[in-house]
Amino acid sequence: MTDLFIKVKTQQGQNLPFVLFCKPDSDKVVGVFQKNDHLYFLESYEEKGFAFAPFDAEEVPFIPLEYADVYVETVRSKNYYFQSKATTQSGVIGKDFFEEIVVKAVAAIKDKQFLKVVLSRKEEIALPDFDIQATLRKMIYQYPGAFKYCFYHPKVGMWLGATPEQFLKTNGTALKTVALAGTQLAAQATNIIWQDKEKTEQQLVTDFIVNSLESLVKEVTISSPYTVKAGDLWHIKSDILARLKSKKSLKKIITALHPTSAVCGLPKQTAKEFILENEGYDREYYSGFLGELNIDFVTFRTLQTDLYVNLRCMKVIKSKAQLFIGCGITKDSNPADEYIETVNKSMTMKNILE
């Protein structure tokens, strides 16, 4: 066991907060270990630390740099593979219920209540022998292009994920974000062809981001949409670059973008109200955002923020894992197809538990 995971064991024994993470295509695993069990919240967004934001709450927890020890370990890929083990499914927000709320959402869209809504569900998987080290290593081995993490706080719980979606990245006044939407299973596709429904969904995400940033940034540039692979799935992606009008505008930008239309819908408020009224469960930290705020934990350069949308994630509770998965609903959505999309997305986490 390496120094990093020895520290994890010590932290767990003392029931203290920590986060382990590995950025896309990085050979570094970072551990940030809080020295007390206090739950800190962001205020000015000028703080330095690791943020872990919920889907629907004004308070954003974070691990402050000033109260943490930081460990960095280099990944050696040959050590990052483990044999699969069987898992069993124990509880699901079911197919019929999910398809019913998709039908309701499509009707609301056709009634012009909103343009798009992102609906989700959760599954419970039996997890008798959860091992943080083995699970994180499997995520790093299987999903090199994702942001992989394990976050624990005694007042929040244990969360893990491998998300393909950047929320935003800043370096001084330079800002980058992405518009990601549409899903196809990689195993079934050799020549990727996107339907109008998927292209429209991705354009709606792009428009939402650009409109949200308009008064807070300048020099906005948008790439043409292109196809990108995340694990076993294909998505449509556009890169959006801009410059901040002020270094102090980060809080306003995050507030304007979160939750993004890729996890909520358009218009944001009416879509969010539909989600809260109809999904039938609490998303908690699924579809929130997480990552480095005003600090790079490897180089310790300040004024660098690197945040991701908390997708393809799960919460570990004793001997089970709760998996969270969702998909974007537009007027052309087919309920059965949308359910299958959530099944495909659930495999990101199931593959590291099997």
Side-chain angles (χ1 to χ4, degrees), residues 165-169 175-179 209-210 213 221 237-242 257 260:
E165 184 162 350
Q166 182 99 50
F167 178 51
L168 65 83
K169 186 173 186 176
L175 178 145
K176 177 185 177 182
T177 185
V178 301
I209 293 171
V210 173
L213 292 175
T221 59
K237 180 178 179 180
S238 293
D239 298 313
I240 301 169
L241 305 176
L257 291 178
T260 70

PDB file of all heavy atoms in Angstrom, residues 165-169 175-179 209-210 213 221 237-242 257 260:
ATOM      1  N   GLU A 165     -17.597  15.472 -17.966  1.00  0.00           N
ATOM      2  CA  GLU A 165     -18.009  16.830 -18.320  1.00  0.00           C
ATOM      3  C   GLU A 165     -17.338  17.909 -17.479  1.00  0.00           C
ATOM      4  O   GLU A 165     -17.526  17.976 -16.263  1.00  0.00           O
ATOM      5  CB  GLU A 165     -19.534  16.972 -18.206  1.00  0.00           C
ATOM      6  CG  GLU A 165     -20.021  18.336 -18.668  1.00  0.00           C
ATOM      7  CD  GLU A 165     -21.509  18.368 -18.971  1.00  0.00           C
ATOM      8  OE1 GLU A 165     -22.136  17.288 -19.001  1.00  0.00           O
ATOM      9  OE2 GLU A 165     -22.045  19.460 -19.176  1.00  0.00           O
ATOM     10  N   GLN A 166     -16.582  18.767 -18.142  1.00  0.00           N
ATOM     11  CA  GLN A 166     -16.022  19.960 -17.506  1.00  0.00           C
ATOM     12  C   GLN A 166     -17.151  20.929 -17.183  1.00  0.00           C
ATOM     13  O   GLN A 166     -18.055  21.140 -17.994  1.00  0.00           O
ATOM     14  CB  GLN A 166     -15.045  20.632 -18.467  1.00  0.00           C
ATOM     15  CG  GLN A 166     -14.348  21.857 -17.903  1.00  0.00           C
ATOM     16  CD  GLN A 166     -12.961  21.563 -17.406  1.00  0.00           C
ATOM     17  OE1 GLN A 166     -12.164  20.958 -18.106  1.00  0.00           O
ATOM     18  NE2 GLN A 166     -12.671  21.979 -16.185  1.00  0.00           N
ATOM     19  N   PHE A 167     -17.134  21.501 -15.976  1.00  0.00           N
ATOM     20  CA  PHE A 167     -18.071  22.577 -15.641  1.00  0.00           C
ATOM     21  C   PHE A 167     -17.476  23.909 -16.069  1.00  0.00           C
ATOM     22  O   PHE A 167     -18.029  24.618 -16.886  1.00  0.00           O
ATOM     23  CB  PHE A 167     -18.373  22.552 -14.143  1.00  0.00           C
ATOM     24  CG  PHE A 167     -19.298  23.644 -13.686  1.00  0.00           C
ATOM     25  CD1 PHE A 167     -20.507  23.864 -14.319  1.00  0.00           C
ATOM     26  CD2 PHE A 167     -18.961  24.455 -12.617  1.00  0.00           C
ATOM     27  CE1 PHE A 167     -21.374  24.875 -13.898  1.00  0.00           C
ATOM     28  CE2 PHE A 167     -19.816  25.463 -12.189  1.00  0.00           C
ATOM     29  CZ  PHE A 167     -21.018  25.675 -12.822  1.00  0.00           C
ATOM     30  N   LEU A 168     -16.324  24.241 -15.521  1.00  0.00           N
ATOM     31  CA  LEU A 168     -15.573  25.382 -16.038  1.00  0.00           C
ATOM     32  C   LEU A 168     -14.141  25.305 -15.551  1.00  0.00           C
ATOM     33  O   LEU A 168     -13.830  24.656 -14.556  1.00  0.00           O
ATOM     34  CB  LEU A 168     -16.208  26.719 -15.646  1.00  0.00           C
ATOM     35  CG  LEU A 168     -16.284  27.138 -14.181  1.00  0.00           C
ATOM     36  CD1 LEU A 168     -14.994  27.778 -13.696  1.00  0.00           C
ATOM     37  CD2 LEU A 168     -17.422  28.124 -13.992  1.00  0.00           C
ATOM     38  N   LYS A 169     -13.262  25.980 -16.303  1.00  0.00           N
ATOM     39  CA  LYS A 169     -11.848  26.027 -15.964  1.00  0.00           C
ATOM     40  C   LYS A 169     -11.361  27.457 -16.153  1.00  0.00           C
ATOM     41  O   LYS A 169     -11.684  28.092 -17.164  1.00  0.00           O
ATOM     42  CB  LYS A 169     -11.059  25.070 -16.872  1.00  0.00           C
ATOM     43  CG  LYS A 169      -9.592  24.926 -16.517  1.00  0.00           C
ATOM     44  CD  LYS A 169      -8.961  23.825 -17.359  1.00  0.00           C
ATOM     45  CE  LYS A 169      -7.518  23.558 -16.929  1.00  0.00           C
ATOM     46  NZ  LYS A 169      -6.940  22.419 -17.672  1.00  0.00           N
ATOM     47  N   LEU A 175     -11.108  31.731 -19.368  1.00  0.00           N
ATOM     48  CA  LEU A 175     -12.130  30.781 -18.935  1.00  0.00           C
ATOM     49  C   LEU A 175     -12.433  29.800 -20.061  1.00  0.00           C
ATOM     50  O   LEU A 175     -12.493  30.177 -21.225  1.00  0.00           O
ATOM     51  CB  LEU A 175     -13.412  31.529 -18.533  1.00  0.00           C
ATOM     52  CG  LEU A 175     -14.612  30.668 -18.105  1.00  0.00           C
ATOM     53  CD1 LEU A 175     -15.393  31.370 -16.999  1.00  0.00           C
ATOM     54  CD2 LEU A 175     -15.545  30.364 -19.278  1.00  0.00           C
ATOM     55  N   LYS A 176     -12.633  28.543 -19.677  1.00  0.00           N
ATOM     56  CA  LYS A 176     -13.043  27.515 -20.637  1.00  0.00           C
ATOM     57  C   LYS A 176     -14.179  26.709 -20.036  1.00  0.00           C
ATOM     58  O   LYS A 176     -14.162  26.367 -18.851  1.00  0.00           O
ATOM     59  CB  LYS A 176     -11.883  26.575 -20.974  1.00  0.00           C
ATOM     60  CG  LYS A 176     -12.290  25.446 -21.931  1.00  0.00           C
ATOM     61  CD  LYS A 176     -11.174  24.449 -22.158  1.00  0.00           C
ATOM     62  CE  LYS A 176     -11.636  23.296 -23.052  1.00  0.00           C
ATOM     63  NZ  LYS A 176     -10.598  22.272 -23.256  1.00  0.00           N
ATOM     64  N   THR A 177     -15.188  26.428 -20.835  1.00  0.00           N
ATOM     65  CA  THR A 177     -16.227  25.489 -20.443  1.00  0.00           C
ATOM     66  C   THR A 177     -16.634  24.696 -21.689  1.00  0.00           C
ATOM     67  O   THR A 177     -16.114  24.941 -22.786  1.00  0.00           O
ATOM     68  CB  THR A 177     -17.425  26.209 -19.794  1.00  0.00           C
ATOM     69  OG1 THR A 177     -18.355  25.224 -19.317  1.00  0.00           O
ATOM     70  CG2 THR A 177     -18.131  27.129 -20.777  1.00  0.00           C
ATOM     71  N   VAL A 178     -17.534  23.735 -21.514  1.00  0.00           N
ATOM     72  CA  VAL A 178     -17.943  22.900 -22.647  1.00  0.00           C
ATOM     73  C   VAL A 178     -19.449  22.724 -22.639  1.00  0.00           C
ATOM     74  O   VAL A 178     -20.108  22.805 -21.600  1.00  0.00           O
ATOM     75  CB  VAL A 178     -17.269  21.503 -22.618  1.00  0.00           C
ATOM     76  CG1 VAL A 178     -15.762  21.625 -22.636  1.00  0.00           C
ATOM     77  CG2 VAL A 178     -17.731  20.690 -21.414  1.00  0.00           C
ATOM     78  N   ALA A 179     -20.003  22.492 -23.822  1.00  0.00           N
ATOM     79  CA  ALA A 179     -21.400  22.102 -23.980  1.00  0.00           C
ATOM     80  C   ALA A 179     -21.414  20.652 -24.448  1.00  0.00           C
ATOM     81  O   ALA A 179     -20.932  20.343 -25.541  1.00  0.00           O
ATOM     82  CB  ALA A 179     -22.090  23.005 -24.999  1.00  0.00           C
ATOM     83  N   ILE A 209     -25.281  28.283 -22.113  1.00  0.00           N
ATOM     84  CA  ILE A 209     -23.997  28.691 -21.534  1.00  0.00           C
ATOM     85  C   ILE A 209     -23.579  30.066 -22.032  1.00  0.00           C
ATOM     86  O   ILE A 209     -23.203  30.947 -21.246  1.00  0.00           O
ATOM     87  CB  ILE A 209     -22.912  27.633 -21.857  1.00  0.00           C
ATOM     88  CG1 ILE A 209     -23.223  26.319 -21.124  1.00  0.00           C
ATOM     89  CG2 ILE A 209     -21.525  28.142 -21.474  1.00  0.00           C
ATOM     90  CD1 ILE A 209     -22.347  25.166 -21.533  1.00  0.00           C
ATOM     91  N   VAL A 210     -23.662  30.271 -23.344  1.00  0.00           N
ATOM     92  CA  VAL A 210     -23.248  31.555 -23.930  1.00  0.00           C
ATOM     93  C   VAL A 210     -24.115  32.696 -23.396  1.00  0.00           C
ATOM     94  O   VAL A 210     -23.604  33.754 -23.006  1.00  0.00           O
ATOM     95  CB  VAL A 210     -23.296  31.486 -25.466  1.00  0.00           C
ATOM     96  CG1 VAL A 210     -23.040  32.862 -26.075  1.00  0.00           C
ATOM     97  CG2 VAL A 210     -22.267  30.482 -25.980  1.00  0.00           C
ATOM     98  N   LEU A 213     -23.245  33.555 -19.758  1.00  0.00           N
ATOM     99  CA  LEU A 213     -21.938  34.204 -19.581  1.00  0.00           C
ATOM    100  C   LEU A 213     -21.887  35.617 -20.157  1.00  0.00           C
ATOM    101  O   LEU A 213     -20.972  36.387 -19.826  1.00  0.00           O
ATOM    102  CB  LEU A 213     -20.848  33.362 -20.245  1.00  0.00           C
ATOM    103  CG  LEU A 213     -20.534  31.999 -19.628  1.00  0.00           C
ATOM    104  CD1 LEU A 213     -19.514  31.263 -20.489  1.00  0.00           C
ATOM    105  CD2 LEU A 213     -20.013  32.144 -18.207  1.00  0.00           C
ATOM    106  N   THR A 221     -15.550  32.657 -27.789  1.00  0.00           N
ATOM    107  CA  THR A 221     -15.410  31.866 -29.020  1.00  0.00           C
ATOM    108  C   THR A 221     -15.991  30.471 -28.771  1.00  0.00           C
ATOM    109  O   THR A 221     -15.853  29.916 -27.675  1.00  0.00           O
ATOM    110  CB  THR A 221     -13.945  31.740 -29.471  1.00  0.00           C
ATOM    111  OG1 THR A 221     -13.183  31.109 -28.426  1.00  0.00           O
ATOM    112  CG2 THR A 221     -13.351  33.103 -29.773  1.00  0.00           C
ATOM    113  N   LYS A 237     -19.948  17.514 -28.427  1.00  0.00           N
ATOM    114  CA  LYS A 237     -19.285  18.488 -27.550  1.00  0.00           C
ATOM    115  C   LYS A 237     -18.886  19.733 -28.333  1.00  0.00           C
ATOM    116  O   LYS A 237     -18.482  19.655 -29.494  1.00  0.00           O
ATOM    117  CB  LYS A 237     -18.032  17.833 -26.943  1.00  0.00           C
ATOM    118  CG  LYS A 237     -17.218  18.704 -25.999  1.00  0.00           C
ATOM    119  CD  LYS A 237     -16.042  17.893 -25.454  1.00  0.00           C
ATOM    120  CE  LYS A 237     -15.174  18.697 -24.521  1.00  0.00           C
ATOM    121  NZ  LYS A 237     -14.039  17.891 -23.999  1.00  0.00           N
ATOM    122  N   SER A 238     -19.021  20.894 -27.680  1.00  0.00           N
ATOM    123  CA  SER A 238     -18.465  22.147 -28.195  1.00  0.00           C
ATOM    124  C   SER A 238     -17.634  22.785 -27.088  1.00  0.00           C
ATOM    125  O   SER A 238     -18.042  22.772 -25.921  1.00  0.00           O
ATOM    126  CB  SER A 238     -19.568  23.127 -28.616  1.00  0.00           C
ATOM    127  OG  SER A 238     -20.274  22.646 -29.732  1.00  0.00           O
ATOM    128  N   ASP A 239     -16.483  23.331 -27.437  1.00  0.00           N
ATOM    129  CA  ASP A 239     -15.643  24.056 -26.481  1.00  0.00           C
ATOM    130  C   ASP A 239     -15.998  25.536 -26.526  1.00  0.00           C
ATOM    131  O   ASP A 239     -16.160  26.119 -27.608  1.00  0.00           O
ATOM    132  CB  ASP A 239     -14.160  23.874 -26.814  1.00  0.00           C
ATOM    133  CG  ASP A 239     -13.734  22.429 -26.722  1.00  0.00           C
ATOM    134  OD1 ASP A 239     -14.073  21.777 -25.718  1.00  0.00           O
ATOM    135  OD2 ASP A 239     -13.073  21.936 -27.663  1.00  0.00           O
ATOM    136  N   ILE A 240     -16.109  26.151 -25.367  1.00  0.00           N
ATOM    137  CA  ILE A 240     -16.439  27.573 -25.264  1.00  0.00           C
ATOM    138  C   ILE A 240     -15.330  28.273 -24.484  1.00  0.00           C
ATOM    139  O   ILE A 240     -15.054  27.908 -23.337  1.00  0.00           O
ATOM    140  CB  ILE A 240     -17.800  27.771 -24.563  1.00  0.00           C
ATOM    141  CG1 ILE A 240     -18.908  27.045 -25.348  1.00  0.00           C
ATOM    142  CG2 ILE A 240     -18.124  29.263 -24.403  1.00  0.00           C
ATOM    143  CD1 ILE A 240     -20.216  26.944 -24.616  1.00  0.00           C
ATOM    144  N   LEU A 241     -14.701  29.266 -25.110  1.00  0.00           N
ATOM    145  CA  LEU A 241     -13.610  30.011 -24.487  1.00  0.00           C
ATOM    146  C   LEU A 241     -14.023  31.468 -24.310  1.00  0.00           C
ATOM    147  O   LEU A 241     -14.769  32.016 -25.127  1.00  0.00           O
ATOM    148  CB  LEU A 241     -12.343  29.939 -25.345  1.00  0.00           C
ATOM    149  CG  LEU A 241     -11.839  28.547 -25.720  1.00  0.00           C
ATOM    150  CD1 LEU A 241     -10.629  28.652 -26.648  1.00  0.00           C
ATOM    151  CD2 LEU A 241     -11.476  27.757 -24.474  1.00  0.00           C
ATOM    152  N   ALA A 242     -13.531  32.106 -23.238  1.00  0.00           N
ATOM    153  CA  ALA A 242     -13.850  33.514 -22.991  1.00  0.00           C
ATOM    154  C   ALA A 242     -12.814  34.096 -22.034  1.00  0.00           C
ATOM    155  O   ALA A 242     -11.951  33.376 -21.518  1.00  0.00           O
ATOM    156  CB  ALA A 242     -15.253  33.647 -22.403  1.00  0.00           C
ATOM    157  N   LEU A 257     -24.300  29.631 -14.142  1.00  0.00           N
ATOM    158  CA  LEU A 257     -24.241  28.382 -14.903  1.00  0.00           C
ATOM    159  C   LEU A 257     -24.844  27.188 -14.165  1.00  0.00           C
ATOM    160  O   LEU A 257     -25.344  26.246 -14.793  1.00  0.00           O
ATOM    161  CB  LEU A 257     -22.792  28.060 -15.272  1.00  0.00           C
ATOM    162  CG  LEU A 257     -22.110  28.965 -16.288  1.00  0.00           C
ATOM    163  CD1 LEU A 257     -20.666  28.522 -16.499  1.00  0.00           C
ATOM    164  CD2 LEU A 257     -22.866  28.966 -17.614  1.00  0.00           C
ATOM    165  N   THR A 260     -26.294  23.490 -14.776  1.00  0.00           N
ATOM    166  CA  THR A 260     -26.261  23.718 -16.217  1.00  0.00           C
ATOM    167  C   THR A 260     -27.482  23.087 -16.889  1.00  0.00           C
ATOM    168  O   THR A 260     -28.133  22.201 -16.329  1.00  0.00           O
ATOM    169  CB  THR A 260     -25.003  23.098 -16.861  1.00  0.00           C
ATOM    170  OG1 THR A 260     -25.122  21.667 -16.822  1.00  0.00           O
ATOM    171  CG2 THR A 260     -23.741  23.532 -16.136  1.00  0.00           C
TER     172      THR A 260
END
